[in-house]
Amino acid sequence: MSRAYRISMKESDTRCLKAGDEIGTQLEILDILPPEDMATLLREELEKRGFAEQDDGTMARSDGAVTVTVDPCSGEVTVKAQAEETVSQEARREASGFNDVGPNEGSLRERVKEQLKQDLNKKFEQEQSRLQNEATEKLEKHLQKIQPEISEIVNKVTRDALKEKAQQLGTVKEIAEDPETGSLTIKLEV
Amino acid sequence: MEAKNDPRFATAMTHNDADPSRKAVSKFEESLLAVLQFFLDPHHARFPKQPRRDGDGSGTGGGHHFPSKEKELQVIRNGIARPPCLSRASVDLIEDTLAKGCILFLVLEGGWRSDRFLHAGQPQRGRVWEREPLVERTLAFSSHVIEFLLWATAEKVHETNAPWDAPPERLTPADELFFWLAFDACRTDPDLIAVLRRKNAFRANPLCWISFPADIADDNGAASPDFAPVMHGLRSIILACLQQHLLKRWIQSEGKKCNTSDWTKLRQQGRAEFAALQAFLGAAAAAGRMDLARFVLGTNAALFQGDLTPAFWTGGLQGSGPARLADRLDTQRSALAVPRQMAVLEQWQERARSIGYFDDDYAASQMWKQEWEAVDGDTIARRAHAAVQMLEPLRTSAASEPVEPQAQ
C-alpha cells in the first residue's frame, strides 16, 4: 500500500559580509614651486584638517566608514567606503513523497538540502548586494561633502605657493585676498 | 608604392573574355582568389570584377562580379575541399592581386597625398614615392600569407580545428598589412572575428591594435604589442600612408560610442583604446616620430571644434550601470580614451617648445609645432582637458579654470 510522507527541513547560516567601493583621482596642483615644496605645503594643509601621516608617506583621515587618503607627492586622492555586517539567514523547505514510487526518503532529503543551500546563497547574495549599495551610497554622499573641502585645500596650497614664490621674486609690498571671489593680489618690488 | 594611378592596373583587373592572357583556375582557386580580393577590397571599390568559373569547373580571370561581400564570407565560413597544390596560373594571379591590391590600397588611402613626414629626422614633402626611395618601400610577402589564404578558403574558419597561425616575429611588414586588411574585412562577422583574434598573426599585429583595439583585445584586456618596430623602415612608411585612413576610422569610432548602451562593452572598448594609444604614443615619442601620431591629434581636433561634455561618449549608456561607483567611473573614464591622449600630446608640445636651434631634433620639433598650431592645439587640449575633468568627482574649480596672471 502506498503511503505519503512529508519532509520539512530548515537550514540556517551566519556569515560576515563585506562590501567596499572607492574612487581614485588626481588633485590638480599647479607647479608654482618645485614639486617637493608643493608637497610640503599640501602636507601641512592636510595636517591642519585632521589628516594623519601614514607609514607610506600618505595622509589619511577616517570619517566613519569612509577613509580619505592623499599622497602629497603625487597629488593622488583615494576615497574609500567600506561596509561590514554579520548576517544570519534561514531557509525552510517542505517536500512530499511516497514510500513506493518516486525518489526514496534519503535522496529526497538530499535534494531538499541542496535546494536549501541554493536558497541560502541567494539570500546572502541579496544581502551582499544591499551592503554594496550601502557602501556606494556612503561614498557618493561623502564625495559631495568632501569636494568643497578638497577645493579649499587646493586653493589654499595654491595661494601659499604664490605667496612664497612672490617672496622669492622680490619684496612683497602688499597682499590682498578676497575670500568672496577667491582672488589674490600680490604687489611686490623687484 | 610604385603602383601610382596606373591605367595598366585597371586594365589588368577588368580584361574581357577575348583577352588571350586569361588564365584558367580551378573552383578552389577561384574561391581563394575571391577571398583574397575580398580581403583586399571588401566593398569591391577597387576590384569590381571577379574571376569567372566556366561550366566545366574551371574559371577564367574576368567576368561577372559577386553581388555582395556575403558570398566571400560564405566561402570563408563554409570551406571548400583543398587540392594537393595550386596551379602555376593561380599562384601568378595571387601574387599579382596581392602586390597590386596592397599597393593600390596604400596609394589610395594616403600615399598619393603630397604630405610632410620625417625621413632620417628631417621633414620631407611629397607623395610617398617621392619621399621614400624604392628600396625602402618594396613590399615583400612571406609564405604565411598563402598558407592563410589556403586555410581560410579550405576550412570553416569559425569552427575549424585545423591549426593555422603565423609567428608574429616571422611576418614581414607587408604580411602585417595584409593580415590587418584581412581582419578588417571579416569584422562584420562576429564568429570569424572571435576565431581570428585568438591567432597570433592578428593578436600581435600593431596595425590591428592601432585601428580597432576593441576588436583585437579580449575581455581581459590583452596587453597591446610593442609599437617600436612600427616607427622604423617600411612599417613607418605604411603607417604614414594610413594617417588619413586612421583619422577617419577614429573619428567614426568616437562618433559611434554614444550608441553603445552596454556599460561593460564600452568599458572594454575604452580600456583597449587607452592601452593601445598610450603604447603607440610612447613608441612614437621614443623614436622621435611624432608625425606618425598625427591622426591622434587630428581626431581630437575634429572632435573638439567646440566644447564637449562626456555625454558625447557616454550618452548612450542604459540603466544605472554597475553597482560600484568605482566601476561606473572607470567605464566613463575609459570612454574618453582619445581625449585623454591630449595630455601626452601637450607634453610633446611643451618639449618641442624647449628644443633649440642647435638641438638634434630641431627640425622634427618645428614640424610638430606647426602641426599643433595648424589645429590650434592649445584650444583643443584645453577643451579635451575640460571634458575629461567633468568626470572627476573631486575636480577643483581653481585648477580646471586657470586664470591668466595679470601684470600691473
Side-chain angles (χ1 to χ4, degrees):
Chain A
M1 194 175 115
S2 181
R3 282 199 305 177
Y5 59 88
R6 180 179 290 174
I7 297 170
S8 180
M9 287 181 75
K10 187 175 85 173
E11 191 93 27
S12 65
D13 195 3
T14 301
R15 294 183 195 175
C16 180
L17 301 180
K18 287 180 183 174
D21 201 351
E22 68 174 281
I23 63 110
T25 189
Q26 194 78 23
L27 286 184
E28 288 207 73
I29 307 283
L30 301 176
D31 295 330
I32 299 164
L33 296 172
E36 55 272 24
D37 294 343
M38 294 303 292
T40 307
L41 288 175
L42 180 57
R43 187 175 282 116
E44 286 170 3
E45 186 57 30
L46 289 167
E47 261 172 8
K48 284 180 200 165
R49 291 171 183 267
F51 283 79
E53 189 160 1
Q54 308 296 300
D55 294 339
D56 58 359
T58 59
M59 307 289 288
R61 187 179 74 189
S62 290
D63 302 329
V66 181
T67 308
V68 184
T69 311
V70 183
D71 185 343
C73 297
S74 64
E76 202 178 313
V77 186
T78 312
V79 187
K80 194 173 187 177
Q82 282 181 312
E84 191 176 334
E85 204 174 301
T86 304
V87 179
S88 296
Q89 287 294 338
E90 190 180 284
R92 285 172 187 273
R93 270 199 182 248
E94 285 184 353
S96 49
F98 296 91
N99 63 342
D100 54 350
V101 288
N104 61 33
E105 190 184 339
S107 60
L108 194 61
R109 276 185 184 280
E110 280 301 312
R111 193 191 298 170
V112 173
K113 203 174 174 183
E114 196 55 43
Q115 285 171 340
L116 279 174
K117 270 186 191 169
Q118 286 174 7
D119 290 349
L120 271 179
N121 283 340
K122 204 174 272 181
K123 284 186 175 184
F124 278 117
E125 272 172 25
Q126 283 169 355
E127 287 297 310
Q128 180 70 44
S129 176
R130 178 188 58 78
L131 209 58
Q132 180 60 57
N133 286 341
E134 273 180 28
T136 300
E137 209 170 302
K138 272 182 204 166
L139 179 65
E140 284 173 334
K141 278 185 184 161
H142 199 78
L143 283 173
Q144 285 176 357
K145 203 174 97 182
I146 201 175
Q147 194 190 348
E149 190 181 7
I150 292 287
S151 269
E152 278 173 28
I153 291 170
V154 171
N155 287 339
K156 179 74 169 51
V157 168
T158 307
R159 281 201 303 272
D160 290 349
L162 281 170
K163 287 174 193 170
E164 211 168 307
K165 185 76 178 177
Q167 281 171 353
Q168 290 171 7
L169 292 172
T171 312
V172 176
K173 290 286 174 191
E174 186 187 326
I175 296 178
E177 287 186 60
D178 185 351
E180 290 286 310
T181 62
S183 75
L184 170 70
T185 309
I186 303 174
K187 287 184 183 172
L188 55 103
E189 194 175 271
V190 184
Chain B
M1 324 300 152
E2 265 297 279
K4 309 170 203 169
N5 286 328
D6 191 342
R8 284 174 300 168
F9 177 68
T11 308
M13 290 294 106
T14 59
H15 49 47
N16 56 38
D17 289 352
D19 189 344
S21 65
R22 282 188 307 160
K23 292 172 177 174
V25 293
S26 69
K27 186 180 176 186
F28 177 85
E29 290 164 344
E30 179 202 350
S31 298
L32 186 147
L33 282 163
V35 168
L36 171 58
Q37 292 193 356
F38 168 67
F39 286 158
L40 296 176
D41 181 19
H43 305 293
H44 300 302
R46 294 181 288 279
F47 292 112
K49 294 191 176 179
Q50 304 283 332
R52 188 184 64 194
R53 200 167 61 76
D54 289 341
D56 61 355
S58 64
T60 53
H64 77 272
H65 66 274
F66 293 122
S68 70
K69 62 185 176 185
E70 272 70 40
K71 177 130 188 179
E72 289 89 339
L73 279 173
Q74 280 306 313
V75 172
I76 299 169
R77 291 181 70 94
N78 294 337
I80 184 168
R82 177 178 174 168
C85 65
L86 296 175
S87 68
R88 184 67 248 170
S90 70
V91 173
D92 287 346
L93 281 171
I94 292 167
E95 285 177 352
D96 190 56
T97 308
L98 204 52
K100 287 174 179 168
C102 288
I103 295 289
L104 190 63
F105 174 81
L106 289 174
V107 169
L108 291 178
E109 288 301 322
W112 66 273
R113 288 172 182 271
S114 182
D115 215 336
R116 272 204 318 168
F117 285 96
L118 292 173
H119 184 89
Q122 294 298 317
Q124 298 279 330
R125 180 174 281 284
R127 302 178 199 278
V128 65
W129 54 88
E130 293 165 347
R131 294 193 308 265
E132 309 288 347
L134 179 60
V135 68
E136 290 181 24
R137 58 182 153 83
T138 305
L139 300 185
F141 297 91
S142 74
S143 59
H144 293 296
V145 170
I146 296 279
E147 282 162 19
F148 171 69
L149 284 169
L150 286 167
W151 177 78
T153 311
E155 301 296 331
K156 293 179 180 176
V157 169
H158 63 296
E159 57 184 34
T160 182
N161 291 322
W164 173 86
D165 204 348
E169 66 280 2
R170 303 288 297 275
L171 296 181
T172 66
D175 291 347
E176 286 174 6
L177 173 67
F178 170 76
F179 285 126
W180 171 68
L181 286 167
F183 191 90
D184 194 22
C186 295
R187 281 177 66 220
T188 51
D189 191 322
D191 294 339
L192 294 180
I193 285 303
V195 174
L196 295 182
R197 79 205 298 188
R198 289 201 293 268
K199 308 279 181 193
N200 286 327
F202 302 99
R203 200 179 177 76
N205 189 323
L207 288 175
C208 289
W209 273 95
I210 205 61
S211 308
F212 26 79
D215 288 340
I216 207 81
D218 57 23
D219 296 348
N220 301 320
S224 55
D226 179 15
F227 283 102
V230 180
M231 304 298 160
H232 305 281
L234 180 55
R235 288 183 175 89
S236 70
I237 297 172
I238 291 173
L239 197 54
C241 290
L242 294 178
Q243 289 295 309
Q244 283 298 317
H245 178 91
L246 291 171
L247 175 66
K248 274 187 254 169
R249 194 181 271 276
W250 278 95
I251 292 172
Q252 207 175 24
S253 163
E254 289 297 284
K256 281 181 181 170
K257 268 187 188 162
C258 66
N259 298 332
T260 308
S261 57
D262 188 291
W263 287 74
T264 311
K265 193 178 163 195
L266 188 62
R267 189 182 190 183
Q268 283 168 356
Q269 180 183 350
R271 279 181 164 192
E273 287 173 352
F274 186 77
L277 288 171
Q278 283 282 294
F280 179 78
L281 294 183
R289 291 301 307 267
M290 285 98 83
D291 55 324
L292 295 178
R294 196 178 284 163
F295 70 92
V296 182
L297 179 62
T299 306
N300 277 294
L303 292 174
F304 289 100
Q305 288 302 305
D307 290 327
L308 287 178
T309 65
F312 177 81
W313 292 269
T314 61
L317 290 172
Q318 296 288 313
S320 55
R324 294 177 73 233
L325 180 62
D327 296 330
R328 294 202 294 267
L329 190 60
D330 188 41
T331 306
Q332 290 166 332
R333 281 176 179 160
S334 299
L336 273 69
V338 174
R340 285 162 72 198
Q341 305 308 318
M342 281 308 289
V344 178
L345 302 188
E346 219 174 353
Q347 286 172 8
W348 288 8
Q349 175 66 2
E350 284 298 313
R351 189 181 170 276
R353 280 180 180 141
S354 68
I355 300 288
Y357 182 73
F358 294 105
D359 291 326
D360 288 342
D361 44 359
Y362 175 73
S365 300
Q366 288 296 104
M367 189 173 141
W368 171 257
K369 282 198 287 186
Q370 284 167 9
E371 285 177 13
W372 180 268
E373 280 155 23
V375 297
D376 192 6
D378 289 335
T379 304
I380 301 300
R382 184 175 48 75
R383 287 174 180 160
H385 181 75
V388 171
Q389 278 300 305
M390 279 180 210
L391 288 175
E392 293 306 316
L394 293 177
R395 66 180 177 273
T396 49
S397 55
S400 55
E401 292 166 19
V403 178
E404 293 291 325
Q406 293 174 351
Q408 289 190 358

